[in-house]
Amino acid sequence: QVHLVESGGGVVQPGRSLRVSCAASGFIFSTYAMHWVRQAPGKGLEWVAVISFDGNHKYYADSVRGRFTISRDISNNTLYLQMNTLRPEDTAVYFCTRANWVVSYAFDIWGQGTMVTVSS
Amino acid sequence: DIVMTQTPLSLSVTPGQPASISCKSSQSLLNSDGRTNLYWYVQRPGQSPQLLISEVSYRFSGVPDRFSGSGSGTDFTLKISRVEAEDVGVYSCMQSAQLPYSFGQGTKLEIK
């Protein structure tokens, strides 16, 4: 079965760093572009970042560019989001998701999400 | 950046009745390859988002045929022909025609 499982969330003070992970299983991880999407409490979905299947291309939302870094480790089928200089407005559930070319690169598989709380 | 605007932001529907959600983009979502990169997702209470429809009108595997998508250019619609209790959730459109990708605000569907 195809699975994405996020981990690494928690409570962190403003200005500090945190790295969240997404473990992929059940599919050939190295052949899919992967995305991070977040959802602040009570709010809608916000696209955060994308990394190409080979890791050579990355793009970020304006709200996180320069502070967040998306990466992937094909050897252990894991997607990462390194979050630096965190702000209270980064508080959200962070979802990883797969873009599947079979359905026009729609996000067909989502993880359960990991909660990140930025608070002093 | 492309802004996605959904209306209404909430709706309450009697089971068996239809429902319709509008999604408008600030720029055309038609790509040079002829595809329109507009998707619909639903987030049921306590769950992660799920794909409903890709490329305006293609239902994802397992999505009931009471769900349909239509539209072109900048105006899109998600319709539920006969709402059922299990359809409760927040419905969001998303564009991937241009980076950064963007979602609509979400429409909360409740059952009367």
Side-chain angles (χ1 to χ4, degrees):
Chain A
Q1 264 192 329
V2 177
H3 280 303
L4 295 171
V5 179
E6 299 93 336
S7 61
V11 180
V12 60
Q13 293 180 328
R16 304 299 290 264
S17 300
L18 191 68
R19 187 180 78 166
V20 293
S21 304
C22 169
S25 61
F27 65 100
I28 304 174
F29 180 66
S30 61
T31 63
Y32 291 84
M34 298 294 296
H35 297 250
W36 286 100
V37 173
R38 68 183 181 182
Q39 185 171 38
K43 302 295 185 181
L45 300 169
E46 180 188 12
W47 179 84
V48 174
V50 59
I51 186 167
S52 60
F53 71 97
D54 57 7
N56 289 336
H57 302 282
K58 306 173 185 179
Y59 197 92
Y60 302 90
D62 290 346
S63 57
V64 307
R65 186 175 295 115
R67 299 186 300 121
F68 289 13
T69 301
I70 188 171
S71 62
R72 63 194 302 162
D73 184 342
I74 293 173
S75 66
N76 64 8
N77 292 340
T78 302
L79 176 72
Y80 300 101
L81 187 66
Q82 176 68 44
M83 302 181 288
N84 297 331
T85 319
L86 281 160
R87 304 168 179 168
E89 55 264 35
D90 295 319
T91 294
V93 175
Y94 285 75
F95 298 100
C96 63
T97 183
R98 178 182 84 169
N100 190 345
W101 67 87
V102 173
V103 283
S104 301
Y105 297 96
F107 300 163
D108 68 333
I109 303 296
W110 296 69
Q112 86 288 350
T114 187
M115 182 71 204
V116 173
T117 302
V118 184
S119 173
S120 54
Chain B
D1 296 0
I2 296 178
V3 176
M4 306 296 288
T5 303
Q6 286 182 232
T7 54
L9 297 184
S10 67
L11 69 166
S12 183
V13 182
T14 301
Q17 293 301 303
S20 180
I21 300 170
S22 171
C23 174
K24 296 183 186 295
S25 58
S26 60
Q27 301 175 36
S28 174
L29 303 184
L30 177 63
N31 271 338
S32 56
D33 59 4
R35 297 188 174 191
T36 302
N37 299 108
L38 185 282
Y39 309 88
W40 289 96
Y41 298 88
V42 62
Q43 190 171 19
R44 297 188 171 88
Q47 296 185 18
S48 302
Q50 297 175 275
L51 175 64
L52 279 177
I53 287 176
S54 63
E55 219 176 312
V56 180
S57 60
Y58 295 96
R59 278 188 303 275
F60 187 49
S61 174
V63 174
D65 61 7
R66 65 178 182 276
F67 289 89
S68 64
S70 63
S72 64
T74 60
D75 289 354
F76 306 94
T77 303
L78 175 70
K79 292 183 178 178
I80 309 174
S81 59
R82 295 174 304 280
V83 170
E84 297 187 4
E86 67 182 29
D87 298 334
V88 168
V90 177
Y91 292 78
S92 301
C93 59
M94 189 200 84
Q95 69 81 20
S96 66
Q98 181 184 111
L99 285 164
Y101 294 178
S102 48
F103 289 89
Q105 315 96 303
T107 296
K108 186 174 184 179
L109 174 63
E110 298 178 328
I111 303 298
K112 282 183 182 176

